[in-house]
Amino acid sequence: MSSNSYEPQLTESNFYKIWEERGYFEVDANSSIQEEGKNFSIMMPPPNVTGRLHIGHALTFTLQDIITRYKRMDGYKTLWQPGTDHAGIATQNVVEKQLLALGTTKEEIGREEFLKRAWAWKEESAGIMTSQLRKMGVSPAWKRERFTMDEGLQKSVKEAFVHLYNQGLIVRGNYMVNWCTHDGALSDIEVEHEDHDGKFYHIKYPFADGSGFVEVATTRPETYFGDTAVMVHPDDARYKDIIGKKIRLPLTEREVAIIADEHVDMEFGTGVVKVTPAHDQNDYEVGKRHDLEFITVFDEKGILNEYAGEFQGLERLEAREIIVKKLESEGFVVKIEEHKHQVGHCYRCKNIVEPYISKQWFVRSEVAKKSIEKTNNGEAKFFPPHWINSYNSWMGDLRDWCISRQLWWGHQIPVFYCGDCDHEWASLKDVEHECPKCASKNIAQDPDVLDTWFSSALWPFSTLGWGNGDVDMDKLFSSQDMKDFYPNSLLITGFDILFFWVARMMMMGESFIGELPFNHIYLHALVRDEHGQKMSKSKGNVIDPLDMTEKYSADILRFTLAISAAQGRDIRMSTDKLEQNRNFTNKLYNAAKFLQMNVDTFPDLKGFCVESDLGRYMLSRLNMATLEVRACMDEYRFNDAATVLYRFLWNEFCDWGIELSKADKGAIVELGAIFKEAMKLLHPFMPFITEYLYHELSGTNLESGDSIMLMKYPFKIKKREKDEAKFELIMDAIISIRRAKVLVDLANQKIEKAYVKIDGISEEEKESMKPFISRLAKVESVEFTDVKIENAISDISQKCETFIPTQSIDLAPIIGRLSKQDEKLQKEIDKLGGMLSNERFVANAPEDVLAKNRELLADAKDKRNKVKEQLHSLQN
């Protein structure tokens, strides 16, 4: 090794290129170590083509890569399926902005030209996210990469739609939906609810007979033109006499009746409520119950229509203050109050969402029924397990899923309409030429596209060839895939898309294949900053994974994410943690460098006989680390596995193994072989440095040699009780002598003699232990004793007692220093004791001051006891 430290930037891009070019990430790459009947599959949550890698992605893909590399090395036929998502609304928004910058719109250039531009943008941007993923060192089967709108997946989506349509499980009708005036229909979970400082407008609604008015409070006065009733509670004594009376809507001639309905909260506002069935979810239900008229007062873009009279043509939100001013000037406003309430926003463009009646396509909620039952029967297991409660609470209130979107970019709904006989049918064909019922050529396809999550919901099986026909068979999938890889072994994703994606995949997988799509579902928490704050650009606390990879290395970022990823707990990221793990990589590098100072190259552990005491001890510790790491990995306790690796390599191998080898140079070849095996154990977490150090110690290179990533994962878990017990005694004696030396100010100096008292070991064992104790405790001569040594400093540890004779040590200055320390501590004890025994002080001092003083007193007493023990030891 020529350099003094490991330089990841020189190796990471080079290694990754070789791995990918050789096809090491593909299903059959590890065929030489694959074991019959062991299959593992995991799906990459397809990132948006418009996306950029953020720290949440980095966590998801790191954990997926760790488990994939582990399974691949453990002899599984492994598929990690990569791909990207067309991201309907997000991509369309980007392309629309590009057109606006050119001074045109999608309407002006037309659908066909717009889609050409969207595909061009997809080609340009899709590679950005995947190239960023490569920098993280991830190892999915890139040759099988899919796109949610590639030819095979378009067929799969049509297959799914037509099947559900023909079963009556996809239906079209006028429903109330969440409507974004920019992006169109949204499903319930695409609406983000936020607290909003709004107003409560109290408005007079006059009786049609001129006998007075009722006072109605609303947060949305611009919708009152669509009122088709006014409502009171049937038990509200204040209003019993007016039920059935007519009122006239302010500024209009239209009259509506006062109705009674138990939906009204008598305690809230005035107890009189306007009913606008076409613009409020609750009023929609009331309207259906009372057979009211449904009047829509603005169009799809939010522009008020003829029902709004003089306000026609104004945008709904901009019209609010203008309408209120007019109502005030005409004497219809009683008062306006400040009012905090929740308002729904579009998850993409943040526009205020409207409840809106619109003709849309829906997947009926009953499609999910069996997947809910099977999940609760334990056919899919959540990690951490509490997520099943969240799943159930959402699925319990499941409504029909609105799947049509008023966009041009996406899977166009495969339904055709006949303009002559009104026949409607769903088709697997890309183009239909005539009506199957009347043979008319006057036909048109539904202009809407499917919700992005519809195609994503098929991802666990559409990518395995389901419904693809023979498009790209044997290139992007194989005929064996459904048998080998469905259900997927595991899903790893963020908890925030449990409903958007996970629940829908479960619903569709069960519906089409008859089995839930995953055996295990691991939902990770959020990555926050070091103070537990959510990362945001406005706070300036965003940690960019690409910057961190550049500054530290992919290995360091990956290991930091993994060692922090405790199940169910948010992850706190900080540069301190990254620095700590940079020190870990330096420690590994320096250990390899030390080994090579003594021997150039090292054998592989397989088939190599470890004979020395130290070698056998360190092999036993490797075996125990292997046992623990495997147990953790099999339960997806990534942080625990990383902690075991850190502890073994830093504390046990580097701090003890390397140091102990200085007393037994003959064991170094064995330690090198063990270290190489440990690199295999660490490889899934830190793929680059482990590959590098493995080849350095083997005297080979990746360019002309085999990769560590396709070697067998360590599996031996035998504990060597006798060897471990012996080295526990050796280390205990070393620590004990070091402690005793500190007492006489000789911490780092070599001393002539030390005695060790250990019961129950043979003379032969004692002799074999001496070189290690002597070298590491810095003692010229180590003697074993069965009795207490007089005139000596002693230390009692867990397994032994050690003595340093004091004849040749000048104890006077040490005793002097300790005596002064004793006096100082006694004064401190007297002062604090006096204060705490003073009744006036105790009565008047704040409780926290008293608690602090009691703590200081206990600490001073403890320190003085230790000093007195040291003095007693030296003076006797």
Side-chain angles (χ1 to χ4, degrees), residues 148-166:
T148 50
M149 277 171 56
D150 70 27
E151 193 185 344
L153 295 192
Q154 292 211 35
K155 282 182 176 293
S156 179
V157 166
K158 283 197 183 85
E159 179 81 37
F161 184 98
V162 172
H163 180 75
L164 292 172
Y165 175 93
N166 290 337

Side-chain angles (χ1 to χ4, degrees), residues 156-439:
S156 179
V157 166
K158 283 197 183 85
E159 179 81 37
F161 184 98
V162 172
H163 180 75
L164 292 172
Y165 175 93
N166 290 337
Q167 286 186 302
L169 294 170
I170 285 183
V171 292
R172 183 174 183 243
N174 281 315
Y175 286 72
M176 177 158 279
V177 296
N178 304 295
W179 187 267
C180 169
T181 55
H182 180 260
D183 293 320
L186 302 171
S187 65
D188 292 346
I189 50 177
E190 289 170 317
V191 180
E192 293 174 344
H193 293 275
E194 294 168 16
D195 283 336
H196 176 74
D197 291 322
K199 291 184 169 64
F200 224 3
Y201 302 88
H202 291 252
I203 301 169
K204 293 178 184 176
Y205 279 35
F207 290 120
D209 62 8
S211 61
F213 65 87
V214 288
E215 185 183 322
V216 174
T218 178
T219 58
R220 308 197 49 214
E222 70 279 3
T223 65
Y224 86 84
F225 301 107
D227 290 359
T228 53
V230 168
M231 170 168 69
V232 296
H233 196 283
D235 300 335
D236 196 330
R238 294 172 294 177
Y239 302 119
K240 271 199 183 320
D241 298 341
I242 64 167
I243 294 168
K245 283 190 78 165
K246 291 283 179 95
I247 61 107
R248 182 179 292 116
L249 294 176
L251 308 181
T252 76
E253 293 304 309
R254 201 155 63 77
E255 293 182 5
V256 302
I258 295 173
I259 62 170
D261 193 283
E262 290 183 348
H263 173 69
V264 179
D265 180 355
M266 290 188 278
E267 309 299 317
F268 187 69
T270 61
V272 184
V273 181
K274 68 198 271 306
V275 185
T276 324
H279 292 286
D280 182 276
Q281 188 65 54
N282 295 317
D283 292 0
Y284 177 71
E285 299 300 330
V286 171
K288 287 198 289 188
R289 274 201 297 279
H290 293 267
D291 203 20
L292 300 176
E293 191 182 356
F294 286 68
I295 296 175
T296 301
V297 300
F298 50 76
D299 69 11
E300 295 175 353
K301 298 294 176 193
I303 306 301
L304 293 174
N305 60 23
E306 67 276 10
Y307 282 100
E310 65 189 273
F311 307 105
Q312 182 175 358
L314 293 174
E315 198 280 330
R316 74 210 150 114
L317 299 177
E318 292 165 8
R320 183 176 295 173
E321 289 309 310
I322 300 166
I323 293 168
V324 170
K325 276 199 173 71
K326 179 75 177 193
L327 287 169
E328 281 180 309
S329 69
E330 299 280 332
F332 287 109
V333 176
V334 179
K335 63 181 174 180
I336 301 172
E337 301 171 309
E338 296 298 316
H339 178 62
K340 193 185 265 297
H341 61 121
Q342 285 222 320
V343 174
H345 292 77
C346 172
Y347 83 118
R348 278 293 173 205
C349 68
K350 308 306 174 195
N351 185 12
I352 289 179
V353 167
E354 296 287 348
Y356 193 73
I357 293 175
S358 175
K359 198 166 234 186
Q360 301 293 338
W361 288 99
F362 290 81
V363 173
R364 309 222 5 206
S365 59
E366 64 208 68
V367 172
K369 190 166 174 282
K370 282 190 181 168
S371 67
I372 297 168
E373 285 171 13
K374 288 183 178 181
T375 302
N376 281 284
N377 285 342
E379 290 181 36
K381 190 176 172 190
F382 282 96
F383 295 81
H386 69 77
W387 279 114
I388 195 162
N389 302 328
S390 304
Y391 169 83
N392 280 331
S393 69
W394 189 69
M395 297 306 269
D397 296 329
L398 194 64
R399 297 198 306 182
D400 292 352
W401 168 20
C402 176
I403 54 167
S404 42
R405 296 290 180 271
Q406 290 62 54
L407 303 170
W408 288 353
W409 174 246
H411 293 272
Q412 193 171 348
I413 289 174
V415 170
F416 294 83
Y417 308 103
C418 177
D420 291 333
C421 74
D422 291 336
H423 179 56
E424 169 195 305
W425 74 100
S427 173
L428 294 171
K429 296 177 190 169
D430 293 337
V431 181
E432 285 276 7
H433 297 289
E434 62 175 43
C435 172
K437 192 173 178 188
C438 74

